[in-house]
Amino acid sequence: MTIEPTAPITQDVMTLPRQTPAAEKVNLVGLTRPQLREALIAAGTPEKQAKMRVDQLWQWIYQKGVRDFAQMTNLAKAYRVQLAESFEIRLPEVTSRQVSADGTRKYLVRIEGGHEVETVYIPEADRGTLCISSQVGCTLTCSFCHTGTQKLVRNLTAAEIIGQVMVARDDLGEWPEPGRAPKNETRLLSNIVLMGMGEPLYNFDAVRDAMLIAMDGEGISLSRRRITLSTSGVVPEIARTAEEIGCMLAISFHATTDPVRDKLVPINKKWPIAELLDALRAYPKLSNSERITFEYVMLKDVNDSDEDARRLLRLIKGIPAKINLIPFNEWPGSPYQRSDWARIERFADIIYKAGYAAPIRTPRGEDIMAACGQLKSASERARNARRANAAS
Ligand code: SAH
Ligand code: SF4
């Protein structure tokens, strides 16, 4: 397949000066409204003005995409100078950007400590979805997932999570002209899925804070129905997701019996299928969202029989659901094969005939290793290449 790299933002990151994280300045990105208020007061903003200042800064940062206090023209000049002394508006750095033949964009985003995470933008006819990461690596070890072979390095901060959305909007040029907020229907970045690297429910607070920022009506203003959090099944956090975030939920289901799911998604040993389903049954009511997405990776001769399809239907009975069938994306050394196309269609047909939507997810961005479960290899490749460069 052809790789069509448009000019990367940086050709050789080793030659770039490291971003000095001006330690003494507080980054305003990623602070919740109450945290922002506290920070402003601590830096000398009178308490009486604090609410108004929070509103103003919020709009500059999240609605207009402004990064420089000097441009915040509805604030007094002296106050702008005062803000710049204590604060900064800092995003993670995009170290490379690749564009797939199908238009998918993959960003390598460098966060503090020199770690990198991947963020993928997937344009479609009626939407543009940004797939964001919540951790560097993952503590879980799902046997079909490449990220699962990489140890957890650390949780991302709320700033680094919402920062991925902001750098993508920078790249898409989607900060509106003043007074012209983008409409959902015409947005380039209209949906967020937490389906990149990491288990979002093992980094709950940061994910919640970042998503509340994404949903805030005075800022990026994405509807909670356009945000989907995917979890491998951290049962105790599912009710909290409904109550504290209220976004759509996707569940990495992938198997219809405990022995098979134990192998594919080992967290199942802790919270087996029956417990998971109980938590899912309660979710739509708690979050007032219509239905849960069941993700099901199609692995040849492992979980793809007609019997599996029927068992899946029996298990999810009574849960408003959509089943997303994901053809397995292979990665170097992966122990599984993708089910044959005819098998996937037959499986989809059984589900569909029972009255559920059963879309087969077209792999996107495979040529740049941006497809589901492939996130890792490319950053490792880049790292290796850089090491080789540095050594030569
Ligand atoms: N940790 C979370 C979210 C990230 S994974 C979770 O597991 O839900 C996003 C989705 O991609 C999950 O459904 C995951 O099971 C799936 N996935 C992982 N590796 C894959 C692969 N190699 N091919 C296809 N889908 C994969
Ligand atoms: Fe982690 Fe999700 Fe991959 Fe499992 S599928 S290893 S939970 S990123």
Side-chain angles (χ1 to χ4, degrees):
M1 255 183 266
T2 42
I3 301 182
E4 202 184 298
T6 58
I9 287 177
T10 57
Q11 296 285 354
D12 177 0
V13 294
M14 292 310 283
T15 60
L16 278 180
R18 289 240 158 216
Q19 199 186 26
T20 33
E24 70 283 5
K25 292 196 184 181
V26 175
N27 187 12
L28 296 186
V29 176
L31 299 187
T32 59
R33 279 178 181 267
Q35 288 167 343
L36 179 55
R37 181 188 145 86
E38 261 174 52
L40 293 181
I41 292 172
T45 302
E47 270 201 59
K48 270 195 187 153
Q49 293 177 11
K51 189 193 172 303
M52 189 172 70
R53 298 296 173 232
V54 167
D55 287 345
Q56 288 168 320
L57 277 160
W58 198 273
Q59 286 184 0
W60 284 114
I61 299 172
Y62 297 115
Q63 199 175 73
K64 304 191 174 88
V66 164
R67 309 284 149 77
D68 182 356
F69 295 104
Q71 290 174 21
M72 302 185 176
T73 46
N74 59 356
L75 301 175
K77 271 208 177 122
Y79 187 58
R80 288 183 236 164
V81 173
Q82 189 189 333
L83 287 173
E85 277 163 10
S86 308
F87 302 116
E88 60 183 346
I89 300 165
R90 179 159 41 91
L91 298 185
E93 183 189 358
V94 176
T95 54
S96 95
R97 166 185 179 273
Q98 281 176 292
V99 181
S100 155
D102 68 13
T104 301
R105 300 181 186 203
K106 185 167 77 173
Y107 309 101
L108 259 183
V109 174
R110 187 163 66 201
I111 57 171
E112 261 162 51
H115 308 298
E116 277 162 345
V117 292
E118 291 168 17
T119 307
V120 179
Y121 172 73
I122 307 144
E124 287 173 276
D126 61 341
R127 69 182 68 186
T129 303
L130 193 71
C131 177
I132 61 179
S133 296
S134 55
Q135 299 182 309
V136 190
C138 188
T139 49
L140 302 173
T141 51
C142 303
S143 52
F144 56 90
C145 172
H146 206 191
T147 306
T149 65
Q150 185 185 352
K151 284 216 174 69
L152 177 76
V153 180
R154 72 165 168 86
N155 280 337
L156 298 191
T157 62
E160 291 159 348
I161 297 171
I162 195 67
Q164 295 170 64
V165 178
M166 295 168 78
V167 294
R169 290 189 88 181
D170 283 354
D171 187 48
L172 295 165
E174 191 166 63
W175 294 103
E177 314 253 306
R180 286 181 45 216
K183 299 238 171 0
N184 276 337
E185 308 73 50
T186 53
R187 282 191 190 202
L188 294 172
L189 198 171
S190 62
N191 292 60
I192 293 175
V193 293
L194 280 144
M195 294 187 186
M197 294 165 79
E199 168 50 60
L201 295 189
Y202 275 164
N203 186 14
F204 188 90
D205 291 359
V207 165
R208 175 201 54 211
D209 290 351
M211 291 308 100
L212 293 182
I213 292 173
M215 290 184 237
D216 190 296
E218 293 294 305
I220 297 169
S221 194
L222 280 181
S223 146
R224 66 188 183 83
R225 286 169 200 274
R226 288 179 177 267
I227 297 177
T228 303
L229 183 151
S230 172
T231 178
S232 56
V234 185
V235 166
E237 305 288 357
I238 288 180
R240 267 183 94 195
T241 307
E243 284 153 8
E244 297 181 33
I245 311 178
C247 60
M248 306 295 282
L249 187 70
I251 189 88
S252 291
F253 207 64
H254 305 320
T256 60
T257 65
D258 281 320
V260 176
R261 194 160 191 272
D262 283 350
K263 278 207 194 95
L264 298 180
V265 189
I267 202 179
N268 193 68
K269 291 185 206 150
K270 207 164 182 182
W271 295 295
I273 291 177
E275 281 182 39
L276 175 60
L277 288 171
D278 283 346
L280 296 180
R281 280 203 180 86
Y283 191 89
K285 212 159 111 211
L286 283 176
S287 67
N288 191 24
S289 61
E290 310 100 56
R291 54 186 181 170
I292 291 180
T293 301
F294 284 77
E295 297 166 279
Y296 199 95
V297 63
M298 298 298 293
L299 303 171
K300 190 174 185 151
D301 300 330
V302 175
N303 63 357
D304 62 351
S305 68
D306 287 0
E307 190 44 36
D308 277 305
R310 291 193 201 101
R311 236 186 335 252
L312 177 62
L313 290 170
R314 284 200 293 276
L315 288 172
I316 65 172
K317 204 160 186 212
I319 303 177
K322 161 185 165 189
I323 293 85
N324 241 341
L325 298 175
I326 318 175
F328 174 59
N329 293 312
E330 295 190 20
W331 35 273
S334 58
Y336 301 106
Q337 286 176 301
R338 179 181 292 182
S339 306
D340 298 333
W341 202 252
R343 180 95 294 272
I344 300 178
E345 284 187 332
R346 165 88 188 141
F347 197 99
D349 201 47
I350 295 175
I351 310 270
Y352 178 74
K353 288 212 171 101
Y356 294 92
I360 302 170
R361 195 186 287 172
T362 334
R364 298 290 300 264
E366 275 187 304
D367 51 344
I368 54 169
M369 289 293 276
C372 295
Q374 291 182 317
L375 301 184
K376 170 191 175 180
S377 13
S379 59
E380 285 215 328
R381 265 207 311 272
R383 215 168 288 138
N384 292 341
R386 283 203 301 274
R387 267 195 213 115
N389 269 348
S392 65

